[in-house]
Amino acid sequence: MPKPLCLIVDDSRIIRKVARRIVEGLGFDVSEACDGIEGLEQCLQAMPDLVLLDWRMPTMDGMDFLARLKEISADRMPKVLFCSMESDPRRIAEALAAGADDYVMKPFDGDILESKIDEVGALKARVA
């Protein structure tokens, strides 16, 4: 059985590296994108099971990415976790209303990220 796929969309190479190490340890295959446009291109090639999504990125930000992702994945929307330093509760509510499954503050550690991934049900896909 193939491993579930996690796409990490973040303009920070360091964040992508840290997140990759964590989610690979949880049994996911991982792909990376440095902005929303690259992330959407990867989704068109292979729709992930989970997306870790930064809010503020050049070219296409996380909210625009999320809106476009919903357009192209109508029948198989991946779980989406916003990973950002955004702390305004109204902005977090906006992300959730736009279709994100949950939100995790940067910087995060392995325990926090694993907990959030489990809460949105993405770990269940891994063992199903």
Side-chain angles (χ1 to χ4, degrees):
M1 175 172 211
K3 291 181 182 180
L5 177 62
C6 175
L7 172 62
I8 302 167
V9 185
D10 199 301
D11 58 327
S12 166
R13 185 182 57 80
I14 293 167
I15 293 292
R16 291 194 312 267
K17 182 178 180 178
V18 169
R20 171 184 281 276
R21 189 170 352 107
I22 293 167
V23 295
E24 282 179 339
L26 297 173
F28 288 85
D29 281 335
V30 177
S31 60
E32 299 179 17
C34 63
D35 63 39
I37 291 173
E38 185 181 335
L40 285 175
E41 290 169 358
Q42 290 194 32
C43 288
L44 289 171
Q45 293 175 14
M47 189 59 70
D49 301 287
L50 172 66
V51 177
L52 302 183
L53 180 60
D54 187 22
W55 192 302
R56 294 185 186 105
M57 296 178 288
T59 318
M60 179 185 288
D61 70 15
M63 291 297 284
D64 289 339
F65 171 89
L66 184 56
R68 297 284 304 279
L69 179 64
K70 287 169 64 173
E71 292 172 7
I72 66 170
S73 65
D75 61 337
R76 189 172 169 269
M77 182 71 179
K79 299 293 184 180
V80 177
L81 273 181
F82 258 107
C83 301
S84 180
M85 293 177 67
E86 180 64 56
S87 61
D88 182 340
R90 291 170 299 191
R91 298 286 284 167
I92 295 169
E94 178 186 347
L96 297 173
D101 293 284
D102 210 336
Y103 186 88
V104 63
M105 288 287 295
K106 290 179 184 174
F108 49 78
D109 64 21
D111 291 339
I112 291 169
L113 193 56
E114 180 178 3
S115 173
K116 290 291 188 173
I117 291 170
D118 188 34
E119 284 177 24
V120 301
L123 287 181
K124 291 175 186 66
R126 177 181 67 138
V127 296

